[in-house]
Amino acid sequence: MIKNLRSIAAVALMAVSMLSAKAYDFSFDYSYYGNLEVEMFGKPFGTSKNEIKVAPCGQDSITLILDNFTLSMGTSNMYVGTIKVDSIKVENSADGFSFSKEDVVKIEPGYYPVGEDVVWTGAQLPAMPVSVEGTLVNGKLVLAINIESMKVNVKFTSDPSTSFSGPLSVEMNDNPMRASEQVIKIVDRGDGMNALMLSNFSLGIMHVGNILVDSIPAGETISHEAGIVISKGSYPADADWFGHTLGVVPVSVNGTVASGNLNLVIDINMPDLGVIKVSFDGVSTSISEIPADTETGVKAVYTVSGVKVGDSTDNLPSGIYIVKENGKSYKILK
């Protein structure tokens, strides 16, 4: 746990490091939100909204993380823990990406909820075989996790989302910090509600975590207050995330989303740190927002933020790019 947050905050205000961790441009988002379906001994065991985290892990590989996995058993819960599978090789497929791996995994203790009655049983077990397979097609993550020794099967399907990229600025108790280019996602839950996601949020050298505000009424005007638990971030992998230690944190979100633009102010009331004000002005990174080529056959290459980087995919740095060619758009992984 982070100690003496006020002292560290003072250092963070003077730090020359960026507001959030340096972006690593790869084919996956850092976090997905959607339906998590669980089977145990071949029988349905419930469906819930959940977050799956992704992090780059070497060239063309990812780490998948399911935090605080819990089996709801009527009026009681079986707290399993955090399932983390490293070094999953990603392959190009005809319409996106696919991945699979069989590994021996030691389940880690979860970090929320907390209390004397919360025992992370999976963390008390020895390392066990876990298999993972899935696809990422048009931004939709479909994932299956099998824990054979526990007779548990998990299926995750991400909800549709729109990503917005733009400058994000922060004030800590009215003290401005350095702005940076960030991505915020709006997730369509499919029930008239949206969720808002800001992954790997940091205050200079202080790594906060993932900000997920759920159950926001859908519409062009955003105005919502909630108490949230900040989850651990996924990148950088060795960061000392502290937001989850704060418990339930009051958050208010206000702004508008229209015509491919997201204007947003997020106020986060953090214990011992005060009010963190986050301002964001972003544009949609959807390929439909990128201007079409005027000549058939002309190739144009863009970053996922919609910035044109050239007319050829040769000699590009590693990362994910959008290519427009012959009137069609597709993504590539370099």
Side-chain angles (χ1 to χ4, degrees), residues 159-327:
D159 289 334
S161 65
T162 302
S163 295
F164 298 84
S165 177
L168 184 144
S169 59
V170 173
E171 293 181 4
M172 182 189 296
N173 295 323
D174 297 325
N175 294 305
M177 302 185 71
R178 181 180 295 182
S180 65
E181 189 80 6
Q182 298 295 323
V183 173
I184 288 181
K185 290 173 65 174
I186 292 183
V187 181
D188 181 0
R189 290 171 44 103
D191 58 0
M193 296 290 179
N194 290 336
L196 184 144
M197 305 179 73
L198 170 59
S199 298
N200 303 322
F201 177 57
S202 294
L203 297 169
I205 60 175
M206 299 173 61
H207 298 289
V208 181
N210 286 7
I211 309 295
L212 193 161
V213 185
D214 202 359
S215 300
I216 302 173
E220 292 187 354
T221 300
I222 301 172
S223 182
H224 189 69
E225 295 182 356
I228 70 168
V229 175
I230 300 171
S231 65
K232 289 184 178 181
S234 59
Y235 188 81
D238 59 351
D240 186 11
W241 304 100
F242 77 88
H244 64 284
T245 68
L246 302 177
V248 178
V249 175
V251 172
S252 66
V253 182
N254 293 280
T256 58
V257 54
S259 302
N261 294 282
L262 175 63
N263 302 105
L264 201 63
V265 175
I266 307 173
D267 288 321
I268 311 168
N269 194 343
M270 293 189 184
D272 295 326
L273 286 178
V275 176
I276 310 298
K277 182 178 181 180
V278 179
S279 300
F280 179 76
D281 184 9
V283 296
S284 172
T285 62
S286 168
I287 59 177
S288 63
E289 302 292 335
I290 299 175
D293 299 323
T294 56
E295 298 180 38
T296 301
V298 173
K299 179 185 289 185
V301 185
Y302 299 82
T303 68
V304 291
S305 300
V307 178
K308 186 175 180 179
V309 293
D311 299 319
S312 170
T313 57
D314 296 336
N315 302 317
L316 290 173
S318 297
I320 182 72
Y321 296 91
I322 299 168
V323 178
K324 278 189 170 281
E325 185 177 22
N326 295 324

Side-chain angles (χ1 to χ4, degrees), residues 7-256:
S7 297
I8 297 176
V11 175
L13 285 169
M14 296 183 291
V16 296
S17 57
M18 294 299 290
L19 170 67
S20 293
K22 182 180 179 181
Y24 187 106
D25 202 11
F26 71 124
S27 56
F28 291 74
D29 293 337
Y30 287 108
S31 188
Y32 294 85
Y33 192 62
N35 291 323
L36 191 79
E37 303 174 47
V38 179
E39 288 186 355
M40 194 170 188
F41 294 100
K43 296 182 179 180
F45 217 73
T47 301
S48 62
K49 292 292 184 182
N50 219 305
E51 180 183 15
I52 293 285
K53 300 170 187 175
V54 185
C57 182
Q59 185 68 28
D60 301 335
S61 296
I62 59 172
T63 294
L64 286 172
I65 305 167
L66 172 57
D67 278 339
N68 307 317
F69 179 51
T70 301
L71 296 171
S72 297
M73 308 171 69
T75 58
S76 61
N77 293 317
M78 176 180 174
Y79 301 103
V80 180
T82 293
I83 301 169
K84 179 179 178 182
V85 183
D86 290 314
S87 302
I88 305 170
K89 183 71 173 179
V90 177
E91 303 286 349
N92 286 287
S93 63
D95 51 3
F97 303 95
S98 62
F99 54 89
S100 64
K101 185 176 184 180
E102 295 183 0
D103 203 357
V104 176
V105 174
K106 182 72 173 73
I107 297 177
E108 303 171 5
Y111 52 83
Y112 192 84
V114 296
E116 294 181 357
D117 59 336
V118 177
V119 178
W120 298 101
T121 56
Q124 299 177 348
L125 300 174
M128 62 189 73
V130 174
S131 64
V132 176
E133 63 177 343
T135 59
L136 178 70
V137 178
N138 295 326
K140 181 179 181 179
L141 179 67
V142 177
L143 170 68
I145 304 173
N146 175 257
I147 311 174
E148 178 59 31
S149 59
M150 295 182 67
K151 303 301 179 184
V152 171
N153 290 286
V154 177
K155 181 179 179 180
F156 175 82
T157 305
S158 66
D159 289 334
S161 65
T162 302
S163 295
F164 298 84
S165 177
L168 184 144
S169 59
V170 173
E171 293 181 4
M172 182 189 296
N173 295 323
D174 297 325
N175 294 305
M177 302 185 71
R178 181 180 295 182
S180 65
E181 189 80 6
Q182 298 295 323
V183 173
I184 288 181
K185 290 173 65 174
I186 292 183
V187 181
D188 181 0
R189 290 171 44 103
D191 58 0
M193 296 290 179
N194 290 336
L196 184 144
M197 305 179 73
L198 170 59
S199 298
N200 303 322
F201 177 57
S202 294
L203 297 169
I205 60 175
M206 299 173 61
H207 298 289
V208 181
N210 286 7
I211 309 295
L212 193 161
V213 185
D214 202 359
S215 300
I216 302 173
E220 292 187 354
T221 300
I222 301 172
S223 182
H224 189 69
E225 295 182 356
I228 70 168
V229 175
I230 300 171
S231 65
K232 289 184 178 181
S234 59
Y235 188 81
D238 59 351
D240 186 11
W241 304 100
F242 77 88
H244 64 284
T245 68
L246 302 177
V248 178
V249 175
V251 172
S252 66
V253 182
N254 293 280
T256 58

